[in-house]
């Protein structure tokens, strides 16, 4: 018998927003612009992390906070000050449709992202939304332990007044899907920039191609009153 759900938790970057491929491009460019070393595996390993956790990992990688500061400053100019406001970081396929579905069917839903709130605003307000389409949000500044720790999903479930075990979590990254698995939630993987490996596949209850397929899965598994 398939596990049923009462609520849905969405990651943002790489799930709702097509930001991880763009982020890869601009982080690489920023690194090269300031003369810092670049490593693809290092970048991919930080996906899903809070900015604070990612920074700590990069300081160790660079061996210097000064180098990180230079990369981040350049990255912010390229990505957050330019690409986002120009509308160059689009919504993922099915984003509007899956959000509309949970709204229209009164299904509790929450955003749980390692990004800070200003990135959440940038992500939606530059794509035609007049406000962020989430009542419940847990961002990376509100957790002590970033993904793959399950804290962010546990907090998201509490905001909605449900048990995390009764939630579907929609994720794309290795850290995110592991966090969903660690939370004992229903883990749904929608691959983005990272090709799923054995660990990711084993941590996922379902693997879907896009958010339209996720919408159909929600319709199938949601407990109806």
């Amino acid at each position: 018998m398939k596990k049923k759900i009462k609520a849905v938790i969405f990651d943002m970057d790489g799930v709702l927003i097509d930001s991880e491929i763009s982020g890869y491009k601009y982080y690489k460019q920023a690194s090269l612009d300031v003369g810092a070393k670049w490593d693809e595996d290092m970048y991919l390993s930080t996906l899903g992390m809070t900015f604070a956790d990612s920074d700590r990992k990069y300081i160790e990688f660079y061996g210097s906070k000064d180098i990180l500061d230079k990369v981040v400053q350049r990255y912010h100019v390229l990505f957050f000050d330019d690409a986002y406001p120009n509308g160059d970081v689009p919504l993922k396929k099915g984003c509007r449709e899956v959000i509309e579905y949970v709204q229209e069917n009164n299904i509790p839903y929450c955003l749980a992202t390692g990004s800070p709130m200003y990135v959440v605003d940038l992500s939606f307000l530059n794509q035609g939304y007049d406000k962020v389409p989430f009542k419940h949000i847990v961002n990376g500044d509100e957790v002590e332990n970033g993904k793959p720790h399950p804290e962010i999903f546990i907090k998201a479930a509490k905001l909605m007044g449900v048990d995390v075990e009764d939630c579907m979590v929609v994720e794309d990254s290795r850290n995110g899907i592991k966090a969903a698995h660690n939370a004992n939630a229903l883990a749904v993987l929608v691959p983005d920039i990272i090709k799923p490996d054995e660990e990711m596949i084993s941590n996922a209850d379902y693997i879907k191609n896009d958010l339209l397929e996720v919408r159909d899965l929600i319709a199938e598994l949601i407990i109806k009153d």
Side-chain angles (χ1 to χ4, degrees), residues 15-39:
V15 172
L16 299 175
I17 310 298
D18 198 7
S19 54
E20 290 188 346
I21 292 174
S22 298
Y24 175 100
K25 169 186 172 183
Y26 290 115
Y27 206 95
K28 180 178 182 180
Q29 183 178 337
S31 301
L32 299 177
D33 284 352
V34 302
K37 61 181 178 179
W38 163 257
D39 184 273

Side-chain angles (χ1 to χ4, degrees), residues 22-220:
S22 298
Y24 175 100
K25 169 186 172 183
Y26 290 115
Y27 206 95
K28 180 178 182 180
Q29 183 178 337
S31 301
L32 299 177
D33 284 352
V34 302
K37 61 181 178 179
W38 163 257
D39 184 273
E40 179 180 286
D41 290 339
M42 175 62 189
Y43 176 82
L44 296 178
S45 73
T46 65
L47 296 182
M49 288 184 173
T50 64
F51 278 26
D53 284 347
S54 176
D55 284 353
R56 282 190 285 270
K57 191 165 184 177
Y58 266 110
I59 290 171
E60 183 178 348
F61 173 70
Y62 292 131
S64 167
K65 184 177 182 299
D66 289 341
I67 296 176
L68 172 64
D69 289 344
K70 290 178 183 178
V71 174
V72 169
Q73 184 178 21
R74 181 62 178 151
Y75 178 63
H76 274 249
V77 171
L78 294 171
F79 199 34
F80 299 121
D81 297 343
D82 190 0
Y84 272 99
N86 288 333
D88 294 337
V89 186
L91 303 176
K92 294 283 285 188
K93 177 183 177 181
C95 175
R96 293 186 188 278
E97 290 86 346
V98 74
I99 291 174
E100 288 173 1
Y101 180 81
V102 292
Q103 289 174 335
E104 291 170 358
N105 289 276
N106 297 314
I107 297 168
Y109 70 109
C110 183
L111 188 68
T113 175
S115 293
M117 196 61 207
Y118 76 88
V119 178
V120 175
D121 290 335
L122 281 172
S123 298
F124 291 101
L125 301 185
N126 289 294
Q127 289 297 328
Y129 283 99
D130 57 0
K131 64 180 181 179
V132 175
F134 284 83
K135 176 182 177 182
H136 301 300
I137 300 171
V138 184
N139 70 71
D141 291 335
E142 297 177 312
V143 294
E144 294 183 11
N145 305 289
K147 303 170 189 175
H149 195 282
E151 179 187 353
I152 195 167
F153 297 137
I154 294 169
K155 284 194 170 187
K158 286 182 179 179
L159 276 181
M160 296 184 288
V162 299
D163 292 331
V164 71
E165 293 87 353
D166 293 324
C167 294
M168 173 191 291
V169 171
V170 187
E171 269 286 358
D172 70 300
S173 70
R174 180 176 292 106
N175 291 319
I177 204 69
K178 187 173 182 179
H181 177 78
N182 289 341
N184 293 318
L186 187 80
V188 178
L189 177 64
V190 185
D192 185 49
I193 194 172
I194 300 177
K195 182 179 179 180
D197 56 21
E198 276 189 30
E199 181 186 23
M200 293 175 73
I201 292 169
S202 67
N203 283 329
D205 295 293
Y206 293 89
I207 300 176
K208 297 297 180 181
N209 291 313
D210 56 46
L211 291 171
L212 296 177
E213 291 187 5
V214 172
R215 177 194 60 186
D216 295 341
L217 184 63
I218 294 170
E220 178 184 349

